[in-house]
Amino acid sequence: MVNISDNPVKQMLTFGRYCKRRFGKRVRKIPIALAGFTCPNIDGSVARGGCIFCKNESFSPTLDKEPKFALKLNPKMTENPLLETQLQQLQNQYHWQSDFHYNKFGVEKYMIYFQSFTNTYAPFETLKKLYTRALELPNVVGLSIGTRTDSVELELLDFLGDLAQKSGQEIWIEYGIQSVYDETLKFINRGHGTENMESLIQESKKRGLKVCSHIIYGLPKETKAMMLHTLDSVLKWESDGIKIHPLYIIEKTMLANLYHQGEYQPISLGDYIELIVESLKIIPQSVVIHRVSAGVRNDTLLAPKWCFDKNIQMRSIRDALRDAGIEY
Ligand code: SF4
């Protein structure tokens, strides 16, 4: 007979639990999308066309609400005519979203999430001003900056490390790792390989920054063993946090073409859930889990259809985790 106390429930450190422990309150991430930002994998610096699944607007609904500007920034520019617009957008987007979360859910503390495109791909002076202003907004406890591992200079990490130390606020760098297989990164037209992933994570941590590694399950030609090996690698590199996404197909992307030609089949909900259960068995309870689901709730989603509703997705994931003795 199995004694229940022999099999204690493993409670994961979700981002929500982490924030409550760290800041004593619920914290909401506020996604920010600013004019002028792009990605070196889109503007031709390393490639054109972007990752085969990328349609950045559908990942960043805030972008639809902002006016469009033809000018796109890159780190080599010495001037940024959009800076005042960007600072205003930052403030406006923060206030309307934080007001909403305060009025509807009583959330009092926020983390600014520079989410769309590559948020370190702009002139250094611009980045300094945006990050500094973001930390000065009321009730902000920290920043989260989404980027690629080919777009972060050590000089920027030095600045962010100092900023975190001086302000006493927390700064997360969210690296889009996706896979630790060069052949996969090549196939998805990532525009970079695995070369500096580990060292960049270490350099960030050395400066007191928190690292969240994003990984994707269901990438073309990857087996479950490969996906779990990617997870294992980012854990070995001592990521402080993990975000896991299923790969879904958005209309008018290269991945959509492959799907229509019968050359790519998305991961099934059953397989994805199985992988998440396996993953959470491996992830230590000290690692912050930022997310294990993703989807897009509009008709640009081609497949898999289970990525339409994140709530249904999460319900199935939670049920399976509970059966495995894991509390998420
Ligand atoms: S790195 Fe991000 S923004 Fe750039 S092409 Fe890939 S998915 Fe799109």
Side-chain angles (χ1 to χ4, degrees), residues 117-231:
F117 295 105
T118 300
N119 293 280
T120 52
Y121 189 68
F124 189 30
E125 288 307 312
T126 294
L127 298 174
K128 288 204 260 187
K129 291 201 171 88
L130 290 172
Y131 300 149
T132 305
R133 178 70 60 85
L135 283 178
E136 289 165 356
L137 290 167
N139 300 315
V140 167
V141 294
L143 300 184
S144 213
I145 302 165
T147 189
R148 297 160 49 90
T149 52
D150 64 352
S151 301
V152 175
E153 300 293 334
L154 294 184
E155 188 188 28
L156 177 66
L157 294 180
D158 289 340
F159 169 78
L160 289 171
D162 281 352
L163 186 62
Q165 204 182 16
K166 282 186 199 138
S167 66
Q169 288 155 299
E170 193 163 282
I171 300 182
W172 285 82
I173 312 278
E174 302 205 16
Y175 287 117
I177 300 290
Q178 321 312 7
S179 168
V180 295
Y181 290 89
D182 280 318
E183 63 268 32
T184 302
L185 297 176
K186 194 164 177 215
F187 189 86
I188 65 170
N189 193 39
R190 184 75 189 164
H192 66 67
T194 54
E195 53 281 348
N196 55 351
M197 290 177 171
E198 181 175 4
S199 63
L200 207 46
I201 290 177
Q202 299 305 329
E203 292 294 343
S204 307
K205 289 174 63 74
K206 253 194 240 165
R207 291 160 174 81
L209 303 169
K210 298 264 183 198
V211 170
C212 176
S213 293
H214 290 204
I215 62 176
I216 296 181
Y217 287 168
L219 287 166
K221 303 177 192 282
E222 288 216 337
T223 61
K224 284 186 185 175
M226 291 166 81
M227 298 174 213
L228 290 172
H229 177 64
T230 289
L231 172 67

